[in-house]
Amino acid sequence: MLPVEFVDKWSKLQQKETALYASHFDDVCRLVGHETPAEYGAKYGDPTGAVFSFQTLTVKPGGQKGFADVFFRGRFIWEYKGPHADLDKAYRQLQLYREALENPPLLITSDMRDIRIHTNFTNRPTVETIVTFDDILAGTGVETLRRVFVDPDSFKPEKTRENITRATADTFLAVAEALRQHQRLTEEAYSPEQRAHFLIRLLFCLFAEDLGLLPDGLFTQLVKSQGKAYTDLRQPLRNLFAAMRDGGHFGMFAIRHFNGSLFDDAFVPALPYDLAQKVLRAAEQDWSAVDPSIFGTLFERIIDEGKRAQLGAHYTGIDDILLIVEPVLMEPLRRKWDEIRRVTGDELRATSGDAAARAHERLAGFARELSQVRVLDPACGSGNFLYVALRRLLDLQKEVISYAARQGLPEIPLSVGPQQLYGIEVNEYAHELAQVTVWIGYLQWRYENGFGEMADPVLRPLRNIRRMDAILTYDADGKPVEPDWPAAEVIIGNPPFLGGKKTLTELGQTYMDDLRDVYKGRLPGFSDLVVYWFEKARTQIEMGKAMRTGLIATNSIAMGTNLPVLKRIKESGDIFFAWDDRPWVLDGAAVRVAIIGFDSGDEVNRRLNDEAVRSINADLTSGLDLTRAIVLEENKNLSFIGTQKSGPFDIDTTTARIMLAAQNKNGLPNSDVIVPWVNGSDLVQHNRNMYIIDFPGDMSETDARKYELPFAYVEKHVKPTRTAKHFEGFPFWIHWNTRPAMREALSGCTRYICIPRVSKHRIFTWLKSRTNPDSATVAIARDDDYFFGVLHARPHELWALRMGTSLEDRPRYTPTTTFETYPFPWPPGQEPPGDDRVAEIARYARALNEWREAWLNPPPPAKGTIDVAYNRLIKVRTLTNLYNGLVYYRTARPFDRAAFDKETRKSVSRAEIQELDDIHHNLDRAVFRAYGWPDDLTDEEILERLLALNFARAEP
């Protein structure tokens, strides 16, 4: 059929839809050169029209039976209406029963004249393409319609919903920035909170217009009509907000009753012409496709200027939130739905007269159950987690409604809604923003799924979202107490990630003292802040006020002083899913997080890092539970965190030499208080040959002043830094923690072993006894090669990696959990004298140290010559680069020379790595022999034997 023939025929006909639609569609097929449904069935063996047909039976979620005018499986549903009919209404009908027809990529409506093609792709915005008679005559319309039949995926929008969200948000940020700048210039008196409240209302109006809740284009027209007069827009906006608050009229337009406390005041700032133009650009975007989960980040940037640049980096997508929402909230509900659907199917196949009634009651009961599930986010912010949870509950209830309708059962109403959501947030306007996020998400879902019609008021206050501190409050007498959380079946969220030291800086000494006092006996005093949310959620489950919890924490939740909370969770219930170490973005910075779901122990399925496991231990491992290891008395008083100076006591070599050469009037040598000093990087990178001024912990100011230059230096450089309240009364010339127990233990050693507290590799080094170790290191008070060798062997390395904590992705070595729990071949100090096993370990330990020292310090060039290559070599020869090469050599065979050079910065050759590997291999075998073990054990078998030995040594 030629385009001109098609247009000539169908531009004249004005009959009803039912009389014409099949003929019209057959002509569309002929126009684009595609088989009609009848021709397709005959040609491709589809006699019943299961793939491509007219009048395909379907049922809307509301229960009404109907027929899709045209259905082409995997391509489109096509709904016809009579000439000049409401095609928007026809589109809403398609949305109602698209799931029943397998959710094809295109939803098409037509009134015989215009053909409107709506995209229906997951995680893509809905894009409408209109084909008119003029388009068909021009040829472009014919090609567009041909693609509908042969290539529906070509209509998939290039940008994802997330891309559009970010781009649209930029236009809104431009409005916020212009408003901020205008206030600075004019000094108009209103608070950041008032500005945020206005912008929230503005944002809602943009959505309301594009969702059809405001009359078509009203808000955009209002802004366009402002003109260039300075105050034109201010009063119209006040009038519009008042109309939205109560319902009524705005000029000639009827305005729905919105309520919800969003429009409870008349504040509108001055909006000059240039600012109004930015509002207009924002209004011209399609806000109906924007993901509301970005709102929290958007308004953080608006209120806090320092965070505005982080919009893209900080944005947490729905996929990340679903890592919690799906396993914690939805999986048990989906399992129950699967069972109910199967039972209902059996009932409907039964011949008894009341089978349908029983099936309907079962389905309606489950739909009611979904509408009664309460979800609590105790750190809800702008409501992102609550929004995602609500959409998932709505999706599932729609499945139930649609299933019942397909079985010809009575209508089941949509009843899931925002009233099921509970939140706690301390921020003063997060309550309002969370309401808007949830309500826009809810309205958006209804709009996208064919449930757009709803009674006024459009919004209702969400009083379930409380403004309060979730972990600490005060009673009427001012006494710190634990706050009450509302009961909810499911608790989800992303509590604040403040570490033990940062909590003091951010929250203050008084708050932290009160917090620790309230949770004393339940949590260690230096737990990360997020741990308190875990303990509160655990308590809710223990008290029967919650059933399941899923929370995010940094990956250190399973380590050190944080680990006890997970042990308590295991004691009163169980962990049923976890991710132990996932990348995350926090305030624009990459961090590593753990995601943990727990309950009272009812859940029988357990998954760790998305793999099925029998159990999940408190340290977020499966299988062997090393968290049960016991601190051994025999290992105490051997390992110590280095001194904490808390001030610039450290000095460079030049300054140290000047002070060491100086003579004090009383004849005391400055070498008494100036000693070599190392931190963690000095051990594994290049030693900077630093020194430190180190007055004895009990030295008086009078005695300290006798060391003239060192004391003068400390008085000038350290004293001004000791201004914090906790330094009051503390001697400024003394290190904050001099570690007297460590000094006593090291006093009997000619040398001692040291390791960085946080490092990529477990590398121990020897230090001279006079060297002062920084708090970034762990000192071990042994000076024998045997002990040095055992620490470097494979059993201790495996134990240290599993038992230590971590900082982001770098393992941390700890004196308590790592060293004091480790069962050495013999209890320290009880090694059998003259035993050849001890001697063999010592021999390979000496070989290891000598080989490394020779590699780190190759012979220099002849005196008087300058060797650039040698200097470059010395610069890259570090223990970190060396062990990078060893790890790569062991794990990346067949060997990749280019990758190896990149990993080690060309500091070490393959032959050298092989020599080092051989020494470590021989050392490992010697240590296995000392334990009496075979040397072919797997890592898990080694850890099993070490844990058994730990238990045996711990017995009284």
Side-chain angles (χ1 to χ4, degrees):
M1 194 173 198
L2 295 175
V4 66
E5 294 175 319
F6 181 90
V7 173
D8 185 60
K9 174 180 178 179
W10 290 103
S11 62
K12 296 174 181 177
L13 295 174
Q14 297 290 327
Q15 294 169 263
K16 291 183 178 181
E17 161 216 345
T18 53
L20 297 176
Y21 84 87
S23 177
H24 181 274
F25 185 79
D26 282 346
D27 280 355
V28 171
C29 292
R30 297 184 183 103
L31 178 67
V32 302
H34 193 277
E35 299 88 354
T36 66
E39 293 166 346
Y40 184 93
K43 182 176 181 178
Y44 296 105
D46 183 29
T48 63
V51 175
F52 187 21
S53 68
F54 294 111
Q55 288 291 290
T56 300
L57 177 65
T58 186
V59 182
K60 302 173 186 177
Q64 306 91 344
K65 289 185 179 179
F67 293 88
D69 290 338
V70 189
F71 170 61
F72 200 161
R73 177 172 292 150
R75 305 190 192 186
F76 59 77
I77 311 171
W78 195 309
E79 183 75 18
Y80 276 97
K81 293 296 177 186
H84 311 295
D86 184 354
L87 291 184
D88 288 339
K89 183 176 181 181
Y91 174 54
R92 289 195 294 272
Q93 290 176 337
L94 287 178
Q95 290 174 302
L96 285 172
Y97 56 74
R98 61 188 174 187
E99 283 86 1
L101 294 176
E102 304 172 24
N103 239 333
L106 301 177
L107 305 178
I108 304 172
T109 61
S110 177
D111 62 357
M112 315 294 176
R113 303 175 70 84
D114 292 347
I115 299 171
R116 299 187 181 184
I117 304 163
H118 303 265
T119 59
N120 187 40
F121 295 93
T122 303
N123 197 33
R124 292 293 196 279
T126 298
V127 176
E128 182 185 57
T129 303
I130 301 177
V131 178
T132 65
F133 285 155
D134 289 342
D135 297 326
I136 291 172
L137 289 173
T140 55
V142 177
E143 178 56 30
T144 299
L145 292 173
R146 183 178 290 114
R147 287 163 50 213
V148 165
F149 288 85
V150 301
D151 189 15
D153 283 349
S154 66
F155 288 88
K156 180 183 288 188
E158 291 184 7
K159 292 184 178 180
T160 65
R161 189 168 177 171
E162 183 171 311
N163 298 142
I164 290 174
T165 294
R166 291 180 177 179
T168 306
D170 284 342
T171 67
F172 196 79
L173 281 173
V175 174
E177 176 59 22
L179 188 60
R180 188 197 312 273
Q181 293 296 338
H182 177 68
Q183 185 183 12
R184 285 175 178 167
L185 292 173
T186 61
E187 298 183 355
E188 188 176 359
Y190 56 84
S191 67
E193 290 69 35
Q194 284 180 294
R195 180 171 65 241
H197 184 68
F198 167 72
L199 288 168
I200 290 171
R201 287 186 291 186
L202 191 64
L203 184 67
F204 182 81
C205 288
L206 297 174
F207 262 94
E209 179 177 72
D210 289 335
L211 288 178
L213 297 170
L214 284 174
D216 187 31
L218 170 62
F219 188 81
T220 303
Q221 291 179 50
L222 188 154
V223 179
K224 282 183 176 179
S225 68
Q226 185 230 2
K228 295 189 177 182
Y230 184 81
T231 58
D232 275 4
L233 191 56
R234 211 167 187 178
Q235 192 57 47
L237 279 181
R238 287 175 180 152
N239 294 340
L240 176 61
F241 292 165
M244 294 176 75
R245 179 188 64 220
D246 302 320
H249 282 78
F250 179 77
M252 60 185 292
F253 297 101
I255 303 297
R256 297 184 63 175
H257 178 202
F258 283 87
N259 194 9
S261 77
L262 184 57
F263 300 98
D264 56 0
D265 67 50
F267 172 73
V268 177
L271 297 169
Y273 176 75
D274 58 340
L275 202 163
Q277 291 305 299
K278 289 182 170 60
V279 175
L280 180 60
R281 278 192 286 276
E284 289 171 343
Q285 310 299 311
D286 182 7
W287 286 85
S288 64
V290 171
D291 185 347
S293 66
I294 198 175
F295 290 172
T297 302
L298 192 63
F299 276 87
E300 277 185 11
R301 306 310 176 255
I302 289 169
I303 299 301
D304 186 344
E305 294 185 63
K307 295 183 177 179
R308 280 178 293 145
Q310 300 170 8
L311 177 62
H314 185 70
Y315 174 62
T316 301
I318 288 179
D319 289 344
D320 290 328
I321 296 173
L322 288 176
L323 290 173
I324 287 180
V325 171
E326 278 296 327
V328 177
L329 172 64
M330 298 309 298
E331 280 188 13
L333 294 173
R334 293 190 200 284
R335 288 199 298 263
K336 189 168 185 177
W337 168 230
D338 289 342
E339 181 61 26
I340 287 173
R341 196 177 59 251
R342 296 184 188 108
V343 172
T344 302
D346 291 340
E347 288 177 336
L348 292 172
R349 285 187 288 271
T351 56
S352 60
D354 61 349
R358 291 200 308 272
H360 178 264
E361 179 53 36
R362 195 180 302 277
L363 293 170
F366 182 63
R368 285 193 300 273
E369 180 180 335
L370 291 175
S371 70
Q372 294 166 3
V373 173
R374 295 163 296 178
V375 180
L376 167 66
D377 183 346
C380 70
S382 62
N384 288 10
F385 278 74
L386 296 175
Y387 153 76
V388 173
L390 178 61
R391 286 190 69 99
R392 278 301 193 263
L393 288 171
L394 285 164
D395 287 341
L396 185 54
Q397 192 177 54
K398 183 181 178 183
E399 280 188 46
V400 179
I401 293 170
S402 299
Y403 178 81
R406 289 197 301 273
Q407 309 307 317
L409 300 174
E411 177 182 355
I412 296 175
L414 182 75
S415 53
V416 167
Q419 72 278 356
Q420 298 170 236
L421 307 179
Y422 292 73
I424 299 173
E425 174 57 45
V426 72
N427 184 277
E428 59 188 297
Y429 52 84
H431 166 263
E432 178 178 57
L433 185 55
Q435 285 190 81
V436 172
T437 298
V438 167
W439 272 109
I440 285 181
Y442 175 66
L443 297 170
Q444 190 181 59
W445 184 93
R446 293 185 70 119
Y447 171 80
E448 293 171 349
N449 288 273
F451 293 87
E453 302 297 326
M454 60 181 293
D456 287 350
V458 177
L459 306 176
R460 296 162 183 82
L462 286 180
R463 295 187 176 88
N464 296 339
I465 300 178
R466 305 177 185 176
R467 185 194 167 207
M468 57 178 274
D469 189 317
I471 56 175
L472 181 68
T473 189
Y474 295 86
D475 62 18
D477 299 323
K479 179 184 177 183
V481 294
E482 188 175 346
D484 290 329
W485 285 8
E489 283 73 23
V490 171
I491 300 173
I492 55 175
N494 185 7
F497 291 171
L498 282 180
K501 289 184 179 179
K502 286 187 177 180
T503 55
L504 189 62
T505 303
E506 295 284 335
L507 302 175
Q509 188 71 51
T510 300
Y511 182 93
M512 290 309 302
D513 288 345
D514 290 345
L515 185 67
R516 291 165 182 164
D517 184 61
V518 168
Y519 292 88
K520 188 175 182 180
R522 293 159 62 187
L523 296 175
F526 288 93
S527 301
D528 289 351
L529 194 67
V530 69
V531 169
Y532 292 89
W533 271 264
F534 276 77
E535 172 60 16
K536 281 288 297 179
R538 184 202 67 80
T539 304
Q540 292 289 103
I541 293 174
E542 188 175 44
M543 295 169 58
K545 297 175 67 176
M547 297 174 63
R548 294 162 71 91
T549 292
L551 297 173
I552 302 173
T554 56
N555 59 358
S556 61
I557 185 74
M559 308 166 190
T561 57
N562 296 327
L563 182 60
V565 75
L566 298 188
K567 288 184 175 181
R568 286 175 64 81
I569 286 170
K570 292 282 292 181
E571 291 166 1
S572 61
D574 208 353
I575 299 170
F576 62 83
F577 101 97
W579 293 88
D580 69 334
D581 186 37
R582 281 185 64 87
W584 201 263
V585 174
L586 177 68
D587 288 341
V591 297
R592 312 293 298 190
V593 303
I595 305 174
I596 304 167
F598 54 95
D599 66 353
S600 61
D602 293 337
E603 178 62 70
V604 296
N605 300 310
R606 290 169 177 78
R607 297 190 70 82
L608 176 62
N609 299 327
D610 207 28
E611 293 184 1
V613 295
R614 291 184 179 180
S615 64
I616 301 174
N617 302 322
D619 63 349
L620 305 186
T621 61
S622 61
L624 187 66
D625 186 3
L626 292 187
T627 66
R628 297 181 297 146
I630 302 166
V631 170
L632 302 176
E633 288 294 325
E634 63 203 40
N635 288 8
K636 288 187 174 181
N637 299 316
L638 284 175
S639 64
F640 308 89
I641 292 175
T643 60
Q644 182 177 340
K645 52 191 177 65
S646 295
F649 289 89
D650 48 306
I651 54 178
D652 58 29
T653 304
T654 301
T655 304
R657 286 174 178 169
I658 293 172
M659 291 186 181
L660 289 170
Q663 298 292 321
N664 292 309
K665 295 175 182 178
N666 50 37
L668 292 173
N670 284 333
S671 58
D672 289 347
V673 296
I674 296 176
V675 296
W677 174 77
V678 294
N679 62 15
S681 65
D682 288 322
L683 300 179
V684 294
Q685 300 294 329
H686 285 287
N687 194 322
R688 299 165 300 155
N689 296 314
M690 295 289 286
Y691 286 76
I692 196 164
I693 299 170
D694 183 16
F695 292 105
D698 58 354
M699 182 172 281
S700 67
E701 181 175 356
T702 300
D703 288 338
R705 285 186 179 277
K706 295 176 182 177
Y707 300 92
E708 297 160 9
L709 288 182
F711 188 87
Y713 184 93
V714 169
E715 191 169 34
K716 178 179 179 180
H717 296 282
V718 177
K719 187 176 181 180
T721 69
R722 294 285 186 94
T723 56
K725 188 173 182 180
H726 59 272
F727 282 120
E728 287 182 6
F730 191 86
F732 66 84
W733 59 94
I734 305 295
H735 294 183
W736 179 245
N737 193 330
T738 60
R739 309 291 182 195
M742 178 193 74
R743 293 171 188 268
E744 183 179 353
L746 295 181
S747 64
C749 298
T750 57
R751 58 180 180 173
Y752 67 91
I753 302 167
C754 199
I755 182 175
R757 285 177 67 193
V758 178
S759 63
K760 189 175 180 180
H761 309 291
R762 258 67 29 230
I763 303 173
F764 297 85
T765 55
W766 287 114
L767 292 179
K768 295 178 180 178
S769 58
R770 282 274 293 166
T771 303
N772 186 319
D774 180 63
S775 60
T777 69
V778 173
I780 299 170
R782 289 284 294 238
D783 58 6
D784 54 307
D785 292 313
Y786 155 79
F787 215 78
F788 186 81
V790 174
L791 291 174
H792 266 111
R794 184 175 159 209
H796 182 68
E797 180 176 30
L798 292 173
W799 186 268
L801 287 173
R802 280 286 296 271
M803 294 297 291
T805 61
S806 72
L807 179 62
E808 297 172 355
D809 58 347
R810 292 168 294 152
R812 181 186 279 118
Y813 194 88
T814 57
T816 50
T817 58
T818 303
F819 182 90
E820 292 182 355
T821 59
Y822 182 71
F824 287 85
W826 297 276
Q830 298 181 33
E831 298 84 8
D835 192 291
D836 63 344
R837 293 169 295 179
V838 175
E840 184 181 27
I841 293 171
R843 178 162 56 88
Y844 285 120
R846 283 192 298 274
L848 173 64
N849 185 59
E850 290 166 1
W851 188 95
R852 290 193 323 203
E853 288 299 314
W855 180 84
L856 288 169
N857 303 288
K863 288 186 177 181
T865 64
I866 299 175
D867 192 327
V868 175
Y870 177 82
N871 293 337
R872 186 183 300 119
L873 180 64
I874 290 296
K875 184 176 181 180
V876 297
R877 284 207 170 185
T878 67
L879 289 177
T880 295
N881 283 344
L882 178 64
Y883 279 85
N884 282 346
L886 180 61
V887 170
Y888 190 84
Y889 174 75
R890 288 174 171 177
T891 59
R893 296 171 180 168
F895 196 78
D896 183 337
R897 175 76 248 182
F900 179 76
D901 285 345
K902 181 179 180 181
E903 182 68 21
T904 64
R905 302 179 189 177
K906 298 184 179 180
S907 60
V908 60
S909 70
R910 182 182 183 185
E912 289 170 326
I913 285 294
Q914 287 174 332
E915 290 179 13
L916 178 65
D917 186 52
D918 290 344
I919 295 173
H920 272 286
H921 179 71
N922 290 330
L923 178 59
D924 290 344
R925 293 182 64 180
V927 172
F928 283 133
R929 183 168 171 247
Y931 278 111
W933 300 343
D935 57 14
D936 59 352
L937 297 174
T938 66
D939 290 352
E940 197 69 10
E941 288 170 335
I942 292 171
L943 291 171
E944 286 176 358
R945 292 180 180 230
L946 288 173
L947 183 61
L949 186 56
N950 170 274
F951 290 159
R953 293 270 181 84
E955 290 180 359

